[in-house]
Amino acid sequence: KIMIVEIQFAENEEKEWSILEFQGEISGNLSGNTLGQIEIKNNLKAEMTIGQHFLEGTIITLKFPFLIVEKVEGGTMKVMGVARKKIAFTTRPKPLGLKKT
């Protein structure tokens, strides 16, 4: 499953669009809600905490940027942003107690 989200990597940095790729399904109404917290390590790895679980992922630079658009009145499209990176979470969620510090 793929999810497109806006991420702010640090408090002082601009927000950046990214694609999140999961192995599995995230259920529930996520509209306007926070999914979890992502910690970026060395611009290569990412860890995401969702409730009492965490996922480990890899940051991948997309070969071609992905344009994010929104339909507006009259059937036209409004450009919302451009995703240049994808975070692929390829493992199953693990309990926080197993997280290496």
Side-chain angles (χ1 to χ4, degrees), residues 31-44:
S31 180
N33 295 323
T34 300
L35 174 63
Q37 183 174 344
I38 298 175
E39 183 180 339
I40 306 297
K41 299 186 175 218
N42 299 329
N43 286 327
L44 300 171

Side-chain angles (χ1 to χ4, degrees), residues 64-87:
F64 300 103
F66 190 88
L67 190 65
I68 294 106
V69 296
E70 178 182 44
K71 281 187 182 180
V72 293
E73 283 185 41
T76 60
M77 301 284 197
K78 175 183 175 185
V79 176
M80 300 297 292
V82 177
R84 292 182 172 83
K85 295 179 184 175
K86 173 173 82 169
I87 303 174

Side-chain angles (χ1 to χ4, degrees), residues 15-35:
K15 292 182 181 178
E16 178 179 315
W17 288 92
S18 293
I19 297 172
L20 302 182
E21 181 178 345
F22 298 98
Q23 305 303 313
E25 187 174 324
I26 296 178
S27 59
N29 182 6
L30 298 174
S31 180
N33 295 323
T34 300
L35 174 63

Side-chain angles (χ1 to χ4, degrees), residues 50-69:
I50 302 175
Q52 296 299 314
H53 294 86
F54 77 98
L55 298 127
E56 296 172 310
T58 305
I59 299 172
I60 301 165
T61 300
L62 298 173
K63 187 175 180 179
F64 300 103
F66 190 88
L67 190 65
I68 294 106
V69 296

